[in-house]
Amino acid sequence: MPSDTLALTLPIRRLVEFLLRTGSLDSRFTGFDRANEGARLHRRLQRAAAKTYTDYRAEVSLIQQYACSGIEYTLEGRADGIFTDRDGTPTIDEIKTTTLPPEKITGEQAPEHWAQAQCYAAIYAAQQGLSAMRVRLTYYQVDEELEFHFSRDYSADALHDIVFDLLTRYAPWAKRAAQWRQNRQQSLAQLQFPFSEYRTGQRAMIGAVYETCRDGGQLLCQAPTGIGKTMSVLFPALKALGEGGPVFYLTARGTTRAAAETALDLLRRSDPELSLRSVTLTAKDKICLQPVRECTPEACPYAHGYYDRIKDALWQALDTPALTTDALQTLAREHRVCPFELGLDLSLWCDVVVGDYNYLFDPVVHLMRFFETRGDYLFLIDEAHNLPARAREMHSASLCKSAFLDARKKLGKGKSSLKTALQRVNELFIEWRHRCEELPADNRFGRTFFETARAEALDRALTRLCEPLQTWLDEHREPGETHDALLQLYFDVRAWLRVADTFDDHFVLQVSAHGSEVRATMLCLDPSAFLAADFAKGRAAVLFSATLAPAGYYKDLCGLPDARAVALRSPFPTQHLGLWCARQVSTRYKDRESCIALVSDLLYTMTQGRAGNYLAFFPSYSYLQKVWEDFSTRYTDIPTLCQQSEMDEAQREDFLAQFTAVPGKTLLGFAVLGGVFSEGVDLTGERLIGVAVVGPGLPQVGARQEQLREHFEQTRGSGFDYAYRFPGMNKVLQAAGRVIRTPLDKGVVLLIDDRFLSPDTRRLMPPHWGHLRPVSSIEELRGELQRFWNF
């Protein structure tokens, strides 16, 4: 290839949809369920075609190089079917599912469908030396189960000309993408670490991440606060990127996405010649420009005609290296396009994609444009200790009896197939309620039972409900109370059926009754198989957090048994952290009431060591409230803050704003362990000088937690560890990690419970907690604090 020729690999579907798709965004009946249903129908139609045409081949991979306009294109795709028609003509079969009314299925409604099949035919004809090909579009109308076929015959030369016309039209975009890729590789090769020196342990972390990203595989990295985790994974991942990518930096919360943006900005400022384009994907509700989000062309001017304007917006956006939420909203207003969809479309042109875990791991909202097949992607998973619990949620589903009964009532009087289907589902829930009511009084789960098999009768009833429910929604598109309730019900039912298709021995069915209400849940107990499949979609994955111990537990639940695991030591001086355990206290549930006053006394003693800001974390809101009431009544000289059970973003920001950098007096905040203030909160310096953790953080004993314990006892022989001890200690370490955030910070951590001193708990503590000291009295703690602060 000449040195001045640019190279670009391009999926055929992406090419034709980019050039030829027109019209509006419309979120009605789209997403995972439609894609999943379409895939199932594709397979069904392919099986039927194979019975008609003996040489029918399904899912045929095609790849071909074309030189056009100074660009060496590699076109790739997968033909739905290739067969010889009855008259002997070689034929490409392209299958599409649709909800268009039958009278609108003319074969002319989507030129990108013809173009996709024409490209496949051109490649196949060239590779097989054929002079002519037939292109067939097969449309399947899902609502009425009708099949439509449209065929056109082409000479090989005509197909070749069609492909070259498409590539010529795409050339300005291809040149820009290929030139950017070339510049990116050159600038990344020259990129230097943006700091003059490495922090303690940082060089080792960077080396481990680089090797993993370069060679492939997975790495679990436990890196204490202060080591500079974000830069320590981004910098080596970019250095190892090569011709692949993008890098996906995935997080559990928005605050850590901001850290990634800051690190990327620092890299750009350290090297003004750096070619590096990043996009931050933000949830629809947060980035939407409308007062009420409704993604239909009738309701949203940014959805109406989106595909007619998107290319102008994209062309301008490619001049912006950092496509943050604000940048996307500005571009969206200027070009009148949806900012959320703009971000998704731009992700295909970016080197780094920053977003929530959902974009890789959630089967409903994952980025199908990337993850339908394996790619040369690098996955950086921030705060990875959150991933197993989040994955369980993504692969679980719940339904309530009241939703179906309310929907039936909202439809008003009269008979209909929809009301009949709703009534049948309601009756099944009533049968479950009777079963719950018949449970023995001493049932340890109350009016709850569990099954290890899926609810097949309910699944059949829900499947029969979908068609009349969808028909009603098609015929009643105006928003309103009834429409919104039935639309939400439709999504919930489809989510349930999606999970039901995956139900196996990693799941359990839970049914609970409360009064007349019945709630059914398919609970994913072990998400490891799903996560393993997700990680297999990329070249390498780095999972990092300050708390990833024990490594075997996270390797197991994340589906990465062969991952390498490293644990780095804290870069901060041990003497900056005072660490004690109040061994005279038991916060076990049966002992909590009796030790409220003693816990208050310990908290007061901690705050008397030195004036400043403190946080105390509790195992539940109810216990927090009881200790707070006792403390604030007896120790009126100490101002307090108390976390509420439901705080919006503004209230959370106001809570943290009280922890000022120059506190004039002592402040004690009361918060819940494992809540929003125990993770991802960066209160450096004098903003926080002490944390107390009340209890070892064990999840509350309940029906679901006991199911987890039983499952992992049967499958791993470690039920209590997996369900209680390991996740509990993780919450403790996260909360305690709020104290020391920089090399200059100095502070104290007080653990209140005798269980912290047990060998099984001590072995889960990090190496830099080796100086933990037990105290047996208020007086002993007071003396320890005095010596620490005077040192």
Side-chain angles (χ1 to χ4, degrees):
M1 186 187 305
S3 59
D4 59 346
T5 300
L6 298 173
L8 185 68
T9 298
L10 192 60
I12 291 169
R13 180 171 177 175
R14 186 186 304 175
L15 167 69
V16 300
E17 288 187 349
F18 181 83
L19 290 175
L20 302 176
R21 193 171 185 179
T22 60
S24 303
L25 294 170
D26 194 337
S27 65
R28 289 170 290 206
F29 313 122
T30 61
F32 172 88
D33 177 65
R34 276 297 190 206
N36 197 36
E37 182 182 16
R40 288 196 300 269
L41 290 171
H42 269 60
R43 292 190 292 270
R44 193 175 93 187
L45 293 173
Q46 287 165 337
R47 288 194 297 269
K51 295 178 181 178
T52 303
Y53 306 99
T54 56
D55 65 342
Y56 191 95
R57 289 182 293 149
E59 303 299 324
V60 181
S61 294
L62 295 168
I63 185 169
Q64 181 74 17
Q65 290 187 335
Y66 291 91
C68 178
S69 302
I71 304 159
E72 188 72 26
Y73 289 98
T74 300
L75 290 187
E76 58 183 17
R78 190 185 300 269
D80 291 328
I82 300 178
F83 65 95
T84 304
D85 212 343
R86 291 183 177 88
D87 63 357
T89 304
T91 303
I92 291 287
D93 191 20
E94 181 62 23
I95 301 171
K96 301 293 182 183
T97 55
T98 181
T99 57
L100 281 175
E103 63 272 14
K104 293 186 178 181
I105 302 175
T106 63
E108 307 297 331
Q109 73 273 10
E112 65 270 23
H113 295 168
W114 282 112
Q116 185 177 351
Q118 288 161 350
C119 289
Y120 295 150
I123 293 174
Y124 189 75
Q127 293 178 347
Q128 301 299 318
L130 301 173
S131 60
M133 287 285 295
R134 178 167 296 153
V135 170
R136 185 176 83 169
L137 289 187
T138 298
Y139 286 102
Y140 187 84
Q141 212 286 339
V142 296
D143 298 326
E144 300 190 28
E145 300 183 351
L146 298 175
E147 196 171 333
F148 298 84
H149 297 284
F150 303 94
S151 297
R152 295 176 182 174
D153 290 348
Y154 300 91
S155 68
D157 290 340
L159 291 169
H160 181 272
D161 291 344
I162 290 171
V163 172
F164 264 74
D165 177 64
L166 291 169
L167 296 179
T168 301
R169 293 165 63 181
Y170 193 76
W173 297 89
K175 289 179 179 178
R176 193 164 186 183
Q179 187 64 61
W180 177 269
R181 180 69 60 90
Q182 190 177 89
N183 294 342
R184 183 194 78 180
Q185 293 310 106
Q186 292 172 354
S187 62
L188 286 178
Q190 300 168 4
L191 181 65
Q192 300 295 312
F193 191 63
F195 300 106
S196 58
E197 59 184 24
Y198 294 96
R199 295 181 183 178
T200 303
Q202 194 171 36
R203 185 188 291 273
M205 182 174 179
I206 288 173
V209 172
Y210 177 77
E211 290 177 5
T212 300
C213 292
R214 180 196 62 195
D215 301 335
Q218 298 89 29
L219 172 71
L220 268 68
C221 187
Q222 178 170 287
T225 298
I227 209 169
K229 291 190 291 293
T230 305
M231 188 61 75
S232 298
V233 296
L234 264 175
F235 174 73
L238 291 171
K239 294 292 286 185
L241 188 57
E243 291 294 328
V247 173
F248 289 90
Y249 191 104
L250 303 174
T251 74
R253 55 175 55 85
T255 52
T256 43
R257 288 195 283 280
E261 290 179 339
T262 300
L264 290 166
D265 184 57
L266 180 59
L267 288 172
R268 294 187 183 99
R269 286 188 282 111
S270 70
D271 183 357
E273 301 302 316
L274 178 63
S275 294
L276 186 68
R277 187 183 297 122
S278 63
V279 62
T280 301
L281 302 180
T282 306
K284 277 186 181 182
D285 288 333
K286 292 187 176 181
I287 200 172
C288 182
L289 299 174
Q290 292 288 88
V292 177
R293 181 174 69 82
E294 186 180 346
C295 306
T296 64
E298 295 86 359
C300 179
Y302 302 99
H304 182 70
Y306 174 87
Y307 294 109
D308 303 326
R309 298 185 297 274
I310 185 58
K311 284 193 278 294
D312 288 341
L314 288 173
W315 190 264
Q316 181 178 338
L318 296 183
D319 291 324
T320 306
L323 293 158
T324 61
T325 298
D326 289 343
L328 291 173
Q329 288 180 321
T330 299
L331 285 162
R333 288 190 181 95
E334 180 178 348
H335 292 275
R336 203 158 49 87
V337 294
C338 169
F340 176 75
E341 293 291 336
L342 174 62
L344 295 181
D345 285 335
L346 280 166
S347 67
L348 295 169
W349 302 82
C350 289
D351 313 301
V352 181
V353 179
V354 181
D356 189 85
Y357 289 168
N358 291 340
Y359 292 111
L360 172 60
F361 302 111
D362 193 313
V364 177
V365 300
H366 75 272
L367 298 173
M368 288 188 288
R369 64 195 68 203
F370 289 104
F371 302 135
E372 287 302 283
T373 58
R374 189 182 188 279
D376 195 23
Y377 310 127
L378 304 179
F379 302 133
L380 307 180
I381 313 301
D382 195 5
E383 301 292 354
H385 62 274
N386 290 304
L387 184 57
R390 281 285 302 273
R392 283 196 187 103
E393 295 173 6
M394 294 172 190
H395 291 279
S396 299
S398 295
L399 290 172
C400 290
K401 172 184 178 298
S402 58
F404 298 92
L405 182 60
D406 291 346
R408 191 173 187 278
K409 290 179 179 178
K410 283 182 169 61
L411 292 172
K413 296 180 180 180
K415 296 181 179 180
S416 69
S417 59
L418 176 55
K419 293 180 71 174
T420 300
L422 288 166
Q423 179 59 27
R424 175 55 186 152
V425 175
N426 186 63
E427 290 170 354
L428 290 171
F429 273 95
I430 292 174
E431 291 176 13
W432 275 342
R433 187 179 69 202
H434 292 159
R435 182 174 170 185
C436 289
E437 292 169 346
E438 293 168 359
L439 291 169
D442 60 351
N443 180 50
R444 61 176 177 149
F445 299 137
R447 295 175 64 187
T448 296
F449 68 85
F450 291 90
E451 296 280 2
T452 57
R454 61 182 285 185
E456 294 187 1
L458 178 66
D459 296 344
R460 288 193 296 270
L462 293 173
T463 301
R464 288 193 291 269
L465 169 64
C466 284
E467 183 176 348
L469 181 54
Q470 184 175 312
T471 300
W472 188 94
L473 289 166
D474 275 332
E475 296 171 351
H476 302 79
R477 298 200 170 198
E478 289 300 318
E481 182 180 351
T482 301
H483 172 274
D484 295 348
L486 267 64
L487 182 61
Q488 184 59 55
L489 182 62
Y490 174 82
F491 289 139
D492 292 343
V493 167
R494 298 306 307 187
W496 175 280
L497 292 173
R498 172 189 62 78
V499 173
D501 283 342
T502 66
F503 194 101
D504 59 13
D505 56 4
H506 295 96
F507 288 79
V508 68
L509 173 69
Q510 177 184 0
V511 179
S512 302
H514 305 278
S516 61
E517 180 66 291
V518 182
R519 182 180 181 87
T521 300
M522 284 183 291
L523 178 63
C524 177
L525 302 172
D526 181 0
S528 58
F530 297 114
L531 292 176
D534 292 329
F535 283 121
K537 295 171 183 174
R539 183 211 316 174
V542 177
L543 293 76
F544 58 102
S545 170
T547 54
L548 280 180
Y553 166 73
Y554 287 101
K555 289 165 66 174
D556 184 9
L557 286 191
C558 292
L560 303 173
D562 299 323
R564 179 187 174 193
V566 297
L568 305 174
R569 289 185 171 271
S570 171
F572 303 137
T574 302
Q575 61 268 28
H576 282 198
L577 176 66
L579 184 60
W580 299 278
C581 173
R583 66 190 313 169
Q584 74 272 37
V585 181
S586 166
T587 63
R588 296 168 180 84
Y589 190 77
K590 63 183 178 62
D591 300 324
R592 287 182 184 176
E593 290 291 333
S594 62
C595 67
I596 288 175
L598 180 53
V599 171
S600 291
D601 294 341
L602 288 165
L603 296 179
Y604 182 74
T605 303
M606 179 181 69
T607 64
Q608 296 307 290
R610 179 187 171 196
N613 298 321
Y614 296 83
L615 272 170
F617 293 97
F618 292 82
S620 68
Y621 281 104
S622 61
Y623 196 52
L624 176 156
Q625 188 70 26
K626 290 175 181 178
V627 176
W628 174 77
E629 289 174 356
D630 178 80
F631 185 95
S632 57
T633 299
R634 295 198 292 124
Y635 297 113
T636 57
D637 56 319
I638 303 295
T640 61
L641 290 173
C642 192
Q643 179 183 351
Q644 303 302 312
S645 59
E646 293 185 8
M647 300 175 73
D648 59 27
E649 190 169 343
Q651 291 172 319
R652 293 195 294 268
E653 291 177 357
D654 183 63
F655 184 98
L656 294 174
Q658 307 306 308
F659 293 80
T660 59
V662 186
K665 55 186 176 180
T666 293
L667 173 68
L668 176 60
F670 287 69
V672 174
L673 192 63
V676 293
F677 299 122
S678 65
E679 292 189 35
V681 172
D682 207 20
L683 299 173
T684 59
E686 296 297 312
R687 293 192 67 192
L688 186 68
I689 63 169
V691 159
V693 181
V694 182
L698 304 181
Q700 185 175 351
V701 176
R704 292 193 180 190
Q705 214 64 30
E706 282 296 281
Q707 286 295 308
L708 287 172
R709 184 188 64 77
E710 292 178 8
H711 175 79
F712 288 111
E713 187 62 37
Q714 293 171 6
T715 60
R716 313 295 200 277
S718 303
F720 184 79
D721 284 346
Y722 271 60
Y724 293 99
R725 182 177 284 119
F726 293 163
M729 195 57 193
N730 192 290
K731 289 188 286 186
V732 171
L733 295 173
Q734 282 290 324
R738 299 313 97 203
V739 179
I740 304 294
R741 310 297 295 177
T742 77
L744 300 178
D745 291 355
K746 185 176 182 179
V748 299
V749 171
L750 176 62
L751 307 176
I752 302 178
D753 195 286
D754 61 343
R755 287 171 288 179
F756 284 114
L757 298 176
S758 73
D760 284 338
T761 302
R762 287 296 297 267
R763 68 184 173 89
L764 299 178
M765 294 181 181
H768 62 276
W769 275 28
H771 63 297
L772 172 68
R773 293 171 60 89
V775 293
S776 302
S777 66
I778 296 292
E779 293 72 21
E780 187 178 2
L781 176 61
R782 186 179 294 117
E784 290 282 337
L785 287 165
Q786 185 176 12
R787 283 188 290 273
F788 174 80
W789 288 118
N790 290 336
F791 178 74

